[in-house]
Amino acid sequence: MARIPEDVVEQVKSAVDLKSEIEKSTGQAFKKSGSSWVTSCISPAHEDKNPSFQVFNKDGKDICHCHSCGFGGDALSDDVSSVLYSNEPFPALVSRLGAQYGVHVPDTRKP
């Protein structure tokens, strides 16, 4: 199987609305805090009682970060994608999110 071009992966990362993906996957509500959004951490290893988890836009893509435990990344980072997408295979995840957010992802499967 050929690799998905890195520029396409970056386009998908930039297109994903991470806050919406987290809300949809976890059911957690966010509160606006300045230019970012906060809620309790989504890491399964962190029982967060205070809103220490933040989603913000950096360099054109959404990033999340827990200020207590350090959990975070973008929508396609290993930690975040394992929580949100149940370890969906990377090529399938990029293709699905690309279709969902209007980014053309070339078919990399060999015929």
Side-chain angles (χ1 to χ4, degrees), residues 13 15 31 40 42 49 51 66 72 79 83 92 94-95 100-103 106 110:
K13 288 179 182 181
K31 291 184 180 178
S40 298
I42 65 170
K49 295 186 180 16
C66 177
D79 289 343
V83 170
V94 173
S95 294
Q100 181 179 336
Y101 288 98
V103 177
K110 292 183 179 178

PDB file of all heavy atoms in Angstrom, residues 13 15 31 40 42 49 51 66 72 79 83 92 94-95 100-103 106 110:
ATOM      1  N   LYS A  13      -5.467  17.478   8.654  1.00  0.00           N
ATOM      2  CA  LYS A  13      -5.272  17.998  10.011  1.00  0.00           C
ATOM      3  C   LYS A  13      -5.787  19.422  10.134  1.00  0.00           C
ATOM      4  O   LYS A  13      -6.398  19.782  11.139  1.00  0.00           O
ATOM      5  CB  LYS A  13      -3.785  17.975  10.390  1.00  0.00           C
ATOM      6  CG  LYS A  13      -3.221  16.611  10.658  1.00  0.00           C
ATOM      7  CD  LYS A  13      -1.743  16.734  11.003  1.00  0.00           C
ATOM      8  CE  LYS A  13      -1.082  15.403  11.238  1.00  0.00           C
ATOM      9  NZ  LYS A  13       0.352  15.569  11.591  1.00  0.00           N
ATOM     10  N   ALA A  15      -8.121  20.821   8.328  1.00  0.00           N
ATOM     11  CA  ALA A  15      -9.555  20.905   8.073  1.00  0.00           C
ATOM     12  C   ALA A  15     -10.404  20.409   9.243  1.00  0.00           C
ATOM     13  O   ALA A  15     -11.537  20.864   9.436  1.00  0.00           O
ATOM     14  CB  ALA A  15      -9.906  20.106   6.823  1.00  0.00           C
ATOM     15  N   LYS A  31     -16.336  24.939  27.220  1.00  0.00           N
ATOM     16  CA  LYS A  31     -16.615  26.337  27.548  1.00  0.00           C
ATOM     17  C   LYS A  31     -15.559  27.192  26.866  1.00  0.00           C
ATOM     18  O   LYS A  31     -14.388  26.823  26.829  1.00  0.00           O
ATOM     19  CB  LYS A  31     -16.580  26.574  29.053  1.00  0.00           C
ATOM     20  CG  LYS A  31     -17.718  25.920  29.782  1.00  0.00           C
ATOM     21  CD  LYS A  31     -17.688  26.260  31.250  1.00  0.00           C
ATOM     22  CE  LYS A  31     -18.856  25.563  31.951  1.00  0.00           C
ATOM     23  NZ  LYS A  31     -18.858  25.807  33.379  1.00  0.00           N
ATOM     24  N   SER A  40     -12.902  18.981  30.634  1.00  0.00           N
ATOM     25  CA  SER A  40     -12.109  17.996  31.377  1.00  0.00           C
ATOM     26  C   SER A  40     -11.303  17.154  30.391  1.00  0.00           C
ATOM     27  O   SER A  40     -11.716  16.947  29.249  1.00  0.00           O
ATOM     28  CB  SER A  40     -13.026  17.087  32.191  1.00  0.00           C
ATOM     29  OG  SER A  40     -13.734  17.847  33.137  1.00  0.00           O
ATOM     30  N   ILE A  42      -9.655  14.284  28.186  1.00  0.00           N
ATOM     31  CA  ILE A  42     -10.235  13.098  27.549  1.00  0.00           C
ATOM     32  C   ILE A  42      -9.334  11.874  27.668  1.00  0.00           C
ATOM     33  O   ILE A  42      -9.717  10.795  27.232  1.00  0.00           O
ATOM     34  CB  ILE A  42     -10.572  13.358  26.069  1.00  0.00           C
ATOM     35  CG1 ILE A  42      -9.305  13.625  25.249  1.00  0.00           C
ATOM     36  CG2 ILE A  42     -11.580  14.491  25.947  1.00  0.00           C
ATOM     37  CD1 ILE A  42      -9.531  13.651  23.745  1.00  0.00           C
ATOM     38  N   LYS A  49     -10.983  16.512  37.267  1.00  0.00           N
ATOM     39  CA  LYS A  49     -12.160  17.104  37.897  1.00  0.00           C
ATOM     40  C   LYS A  49     -12.301  18.589  37.560  1.00  0.00           C
ATOM     41  O   LYS A  49     -13.329  19.191  37.783  1.00  0.00           O
ATOM     42  CB  LYS A  49     -12.103  16.899  39.405  1.00  0.00           C
ATOM     43  CG  LYS A  49     -12.192  15.427  39.787  1.00  0.00           C
ATOM     44  CD  LYS A  49     -12.291  15.249  41.274  1.00  0.00           C
ATOM     45  CE  LYS A  49     -12.375  13.831  41.737  1.00  0.00           C
ATOM     46  NZ  LYS A  49     -12.028  12.767  40.901  1.00  0.00           N
ATOM     47  N   PRO A  51     -11.486  21.724  34.526  1.00  0.00           N
ATOM     48  CA  PRO A  51     -11.285  21.862  33.076  1.00  0.00           C
ATOM     49  C   PRO A  51      -9.846  22.251  32.725  1.00  0.00           C
ATOM     50  O   PRO A  51      -9.530  23.411  32.539  1.00  0.00           O
ATOM     51  CB  PRO A  51     -12.286  22.947  32.685  1.00  0.00           C
ATOM     52  CG  PRO A  51     -12.482  23.751  33.918  1.00  0.00           C
ATOM     53  CD  PRO A  51     -12.314  22.794  35.062  1.00  0.00           C
ATOM     54  N   CYS A  66      -3.753  18.878  27.545  1.00  0.00           N
ATOM     55  CA  CYS A  66      -4.138  18.895  28.950  1.00  0.00           C
ATOM     56  C   CYS A  66      -2.992  19.504  29.740  1.00  0.00           C
ATOM     57  O   CYS A  66      -1.865  18.997  29.696  1.00  0.00           O
ATOM     58  CB  CYS A  66      -4.443  17.488  29.470  1.00  0.00           C
ATOM     59  SG  CYS A  66      -4.853  17.495  31.235  1.00  0.00           S
ATOM     60  N   GLY A  72      -2.308  15.145  24.602  1.00  0.00           N
ATOM     61  CA  GLY A  72      -2.773  16.035  23.552  1.00  0.00           C
ATOM     62  C   GLY A  72      -2.134  15.776  22.215  1.00  0.00           C
ATOM     63  O   GLY A  72      -1.405  14.812  22.021  1.00  0.00           O
ATOM     64  N   ASP A  79      -2.099   9.462  20.264  1.00  0.00           N
ATOM     65  CA  ASP A  79      -2.873   9.496  21.510  1.00  0.00           C
ATOM     66  C   ASP A  79      -4.309   9.944  21.280  1.00  0.00           C
ATOM     67  O   ASP A  79      -5.257   9.302  21.742  1.00  0.00           O
ATOM     68  CB  ASP A  79      -2.219  10.439  22.529  1.00  0.00           C
ATOM     69  CG  ASP A  79      -0.926   9.893  23.101  1.00  0.00           C
ATOM     70  OD1 ASP A  79      -0.688   8.678  22.966  1.00  0.00           O
ATOM     71  OD2 ASP A  79      -0.164  10.685  23.678  1.00  0.00           O
ATOM     72  N   VAL A  83      -8.163   7.688  21.248  1.00  0.00           N
ATOM     73  CA  VAL A  83      -9.316   7.981  22.105  1.00  0.00           C
ATOM     74  C   VAL A  83     -10.556   8.295  21.263  1.00  0.00           C
ATOM     75  O   VAL A  83     -11.646   7.788  21.527  1.00  0.00           O
ATOM     76  CB  VAL A  83      -9.009   9.163  23.059  1.00  0.00           C
ATOM     77  CG1 VAL A  83     -10.268   9.630  23.779  1.00  0.00           C
ATOM     78  CG2 VAL A  83      -7.946   8.770  24.070  1.00  0.00           C
ATOM     79  N   ALA A  92      -7.418   4.646   6.625  1.00  0.00           N
ATOM     80  CA  ALA A  92      -8.884   4.732   6.621  1.00  0.00           C
ATOM     81  C   ALA A  92      -9.356   5.980   7.353  1.00  0.00           C
ATOM     82  O   ALA A  92     -10.300   6.649   6.920  1.00  0.00           O
ATOM     83  CB  ALA A  92      -9.483   3.479   7.263  1.00  0.00           C
ATOM     84  N   VAL A  94      -7.672   8.873   7.778  1.00  0.00           N
ATOM     85  CA  VAL A  94      -7.374  10.053   6.962  1.00  0.00           C
ATOM     86  C   VAL A  94      -8.385  10.166   5.824  1.00  0.00           C
ATOM     87  O   VAL A  94      -8.905  11.252   5.546  1.00  0.00           O
ATOM     88  CB  VAL A  94      -5.929  10.011   6.421  1.00  0.00           C
ATOM     89  CG1 VAL A  94      -5.675  11.145   5.428  1.00  0.00           C
ATOM     90  CG2 VAL A  94      -4.929  10.080   7.564  1.00  0.00           C
ATOM     91  N   SER A  95      -8.706   9.057   5.187  1.00  0.00           N
ATOM     92  CA  SER A  95      -9.684   9.072   4.088  1.00  0.00           C
ATOM     93  C   SER A  95     -11.070   9.479   4.580  1.00  0.00           C
ATOM     94  O   SER A  95     -11.743  10.293   3.947  1.00  0.00           O
ATOM     95  CB  SER A  95      -9.764   7.698   3.423  1.00  0.00           C
ATOM     96  OG  SER A  95      -8.549   7.402   2.781  1.00  0.00           O
ATOM     97  N   GLN A 100     -15.137  13.754   5.108  1.00  0.00           N
ATOM     98  CA  GLN A 100     -16.028  14.490   6.012  1.00  0.00           C
ATOM     99  C   GLN A 100     -15.770  15.997   5.965  1.00  0.00           C
ATOM    100  O   GLN A 100     -16.700  16.788   6.058  1.00  0.00           O
ATOM    101  CB  GLN A 100     -15.838  13.973   7.435  1.00  0.00           C
ATOM    102  CG  GLN A 100     -16.719  14.634   8.467  1.00  0.00           C
ATOM    103  CD  GLN A 100     -16.502  14.049   9.856  1.00  0.00           C
ATOM    104  OE1 GLN A 100     -16.048  12.905  10.002  1.00  0.00           O
ATOM    105  NE2 GLN A 100     -16.823  14.815  10.860  1.00  0.00           N
ATOM    106  N   TYR A 101     -14.502  16.388   5.815  1.00  0.00           N
ATOM    107  CA  TYR A 101     -14.130  17.804   5.868  1.00  0.00           C
ATOM    108  C   TYR A 101     -13.743  18.384   4.502  1.00  0.00           C
ATOM    109  O   TYR A 101     -13.162  19.463   4.430  1.00  0.00           O
ATOM    110  CB  TYR A 101     -13.017  18.023   6.892  1.00  0.00           C
ATOM    111  CG  TYR A 101     -13.526  17.883   8.307  1.00  0.00           C
ATOM    112  CD1 TYR A 101     -13.372  16.704   9.008  1.00  0.00           C
ATOM    113  CD2 TYR A 101     -14.194  18.929   8.930  1.00  0.00           C
ATOM    114  CE1 TYR A 101     -13.857  16.564  10.301  1.00  0.00           C
ATOM    115  CE2 TYR A 101     -14.691  18.801  10.214  1.00  0.00           C
ATOM    116  CZ  TYR A 101     -14.516  17.622  10.894  1.00  0.00           C
ATOM    117  OH  TYR A 101     -15.012  17.488  12.173  1.00  0.00           O
ATOM    118  N   GLY A 102     -14.061  17.664   3.427  1.00  0.00           N
ATOM    119  CA  GLY A 102     -13.889  18.213   2.084  1.00  0.00           C
ATOM    120  C   GLY A 102     -12.463  18.241   1.550  1.00  0.00           C
ATOM    121  O   GLY A 102     -12.125  19.078   0.724  1.00  0.00           O
ATOM    122  N   VAL A 103     -11.616  17.313   1.995  1.00  0.00           N
ATOM    123  CA  VAL A 103     -10.241  17.222   1.499  1.00  0.00           C
ATOM    124  C   VAL A 103     -10.127  15.956   0.670  1.00  0.00           C
ATOM    125  O   VAL A 103     -10.441  14.864   1.158  1.00  0.00           O
ATOM    126  CB  VAL A 103      -9.226  17.180   2.666  1.00  0.00           C
ATOM    127  CG1 VAL A 103      -7.813  17.005   2.132  1.00  0.00           C
ATOM    128  CG2 VAL A 103      -9.329  18.428   3.523  1.00  0.00           C
ATOM    129  N   PRO A 106      -6.189  10.847  -2.046  1.00  0.00           N
ATOM    130  CA  PRO A 106      -6.067   9.860  -3.126  1.00  0.00           C
ATOM    131  C   PRO A 106      -6.114   8.439  -2.588  1.00  0.00           C
ATOM    132  O   PRO A 106      -5.678   8.176  -1.478  1.00  0.00           O
ATOM    133  CB  PRO A 106      -4.692  10.173  -3.747  1.00  0.00           C
ATOM    134  CG  PRO A 106      -3.968  10.980  -2.746  1.00  0.00           C
ATOM    135  CD  PRO A 106      -4.976  11.638  -1.860  1.00  0.00           C
ATOM    136  N   LYS A 110      -3.345  -0.596  -3.686  1.00  0.00           N
ATOM    137  CA  LYS A 110      -2.890  -1.129  -4.957  1.00  0.00           C
ATOM    138  C   LYS A 110      -3.996  -1.980  -5.558  1.00  0.00           C
ATOM    139  O   LYS A 110      -4.633  -2.749  -4.847  1.00  0.00           O
ATOM    140  CB  LYS A 110      -1.614  -1.951  -4.774  1.00  0.00           C
ATOM    141  CG  LYS A 110      -0.430  -1.112  -4.390  1.00  0.00           C
ATOM    142  CD  LYS A 110       0.800  -1.958  -4.295  1.00  0.00           C
ATOM    143  CE  LYS A 110       1.979  -1.074  -3.931  1.00  0.00           C
ATOM    144  NZ  LYS A 110       3.203  -1.842  -3.769  1.00  0.00           N
TER     145      LYS A 110
END
